[in-house]
Amino acid sequence: MTRRIIVFRQGNEFYISQEFNGDKDEAARFSTCMIDLNWPEVLEYLDGLNTLEDFEQAVHQAEKNYHYEHLGVERVEELPTCEEVWMVGSGSPYLHSRYGEPTVNWVADLAKQYGFRSKCSNGAATITTRNTDGRWTTWFTISVKEDGLWHIRGNNTDQCNIWLYRTRPDMTPERCVEFFDRLNETLGLFGEEKIQMSSWIDPEDWQEIAGVNDAYEDKRYTGKKKEEDA
């Protein structure tokens, strides 16, 4: 099951929770223990926290829902290494690192797995691919804003003149959906916070990729299929 630690940063000081192992769905799948919440619900406790006292209360509530002994939070000088480290400050919680490596590095690795180029600089991952002129072009860049929210900037495949159906014929509909699903999973984004594929692949590009007449009638493109299945 996924091992997670929550961190509250106050200046140069870090306050960490005990390790949370899995969530409700994972526990049910492995039949190991009783947990009352899924991880997105735990993140709701952490949204908008501004003080250490608020953080301590949120961690205590999470401990109750995991049926853990109340251990409170511990002050440390360096960030711990864990499967997932979630950072909380004045804003929304975000997935800071996996196995001790910044999340944007994992984004860059993921992009390369799908045949794109990507590099990390100043805490941002920039994903590039060839446009129809054969030039490497920035598709989008992902970074963390000061409020802890993931910030995504760039253009869709029409505005970039990328047109995946021409430049990346290997990016089938299934592979496109898989790429964005894995991107959201890597960034720790759930529900309405997810990156929408329709924001980054032009509808006319998708119609060619998927062989459909109207992209907005294709539930794979709009994401509505997953909402209905949830």
Side-chain angles (χ1 to χ4, degrees):
M1 296 200 297
T2 308
R3 297 177 294 107
R4 303 177 175 97
I5 287 177
I6 313 168
V7 179
F8 183 83
R9 182 169 187 169
Q10 192 172 62
N12 294 322
E13 297 180 332
F14 300 103
Y15 296 86
I16 67 171
S17 71
Q18 65 174 298
E19 185 178 286
F20 291 91
N21 192 15
D23 63 7
K24 183 178 179 179
D25 285 349
E26 287 183 288
R29 190 159 61 247
F30 291 100
S31 300
T32 55
C33 57
M34 177 66 70
I35 300 174
D36 297 335
L37 297 177
N38 282 316
W39 192 248
E41 297 172 288
V42 175
L43 296 179
E44 292 179 7
Y45 291 146
L46 306 170
D47 193 36
L49 298 183
N50 292 300
T51 68
L52 177 58
E53 181 181 2
D54 289 341
F55 176 67
E56 290 174 326
Q57 292 177 356
V59 169
H60 190 193
Q61 187 62 45
E63 289 172 333
K64 289 181 180 178
N65 284 283
Y66 272 69
H67 302 279
Y68 286 177
E69 176 186 358
H70 175 46
L71 298 182
V73 301
E74 177 186 0
R75 180 183 176 277
V76 297
E77 294 183 358
E78 297 182 357
L79 282 176
T81 298
C82 188
E83 185 173 349
E84 292 186 1
V85 174
W86 288 80
M87 184 74 74
V88 180
S90 55
S92 298
Y94 72 97
L95 183 53
H96 177 273
S97 60
R98 292 177 182 270
Y99 299 103
E101 188 175 350
T103 303
V104 291
N105 292 2
W106 290 93
V107 170
D109 290 343
L110 175 67
K112 292 172 184 176
Q113 290 176 31
Y114 283 80
F116 301 106
R117 283 186 179 178
S118 185
K119 64 179 180 179
C120 293
S121 178
N122 300 320
T126 300
I127 297 171
T128 64
T129 189
R130 291 189 186 277
N131 64 16
T132 55
D133 296 324
R135 297 176 181 175
W136 286 97
T137 304
T138 296
W139 187 7
F140 53 85
T141 298
I142 299 175
S143 59
V144 180
K145 296 194 295 184
E146 291 183 0
D147 59 7
L149 293 172
W150 287 109
H151 178 52
I152 305 156
R153 60 186 184 276
N155 295 293
N156 69 25
T157 52
D158 171 22
Q159 295 164 326
C160 295
N161 197 30
I162 288 172
W163 296 104
L164 293 176
Y165 83 93
R166 292 175 58 187
T167 61
R168 290 293 307 275
D170 60 308
M171 291 297 288
T172 62
E174 294 75 20
R175 193 162 169 80
C176 288
V177 170
E178 181 184 83
F179 173 64
F180 280 91
D181 282 347
R182 291 189 62 191
L183 183 60
N184 283 306
E185 179 183 349
T186 300
L187 292 169
L189 296 176
F190 305 93
E192 295 181 356
E193 301 298 324
K194 282 186 174 183
I195 298 172
Q196 297 299 319
M197 184 174 65
S198 57
S199 297
W200 301 102
I201 297 180
D202 182 83
E204 293 183 10
D205 193 9
W206 179 259
Q207 286 163 192
E208 296 290 342
I209 293 169
V212 296
N213 293 323
D214 186 345
Y216 294 106
E217 291 296 322
D218 190 335
K219 295 177 181 179
R220 295 170 297 179
Y221 183 70
T222 61
K224 290 181 179 179
K225 181 178 187 301
K226 292 179 182 176
E227 293 176 7
E228 293 171 359
D229 293 343

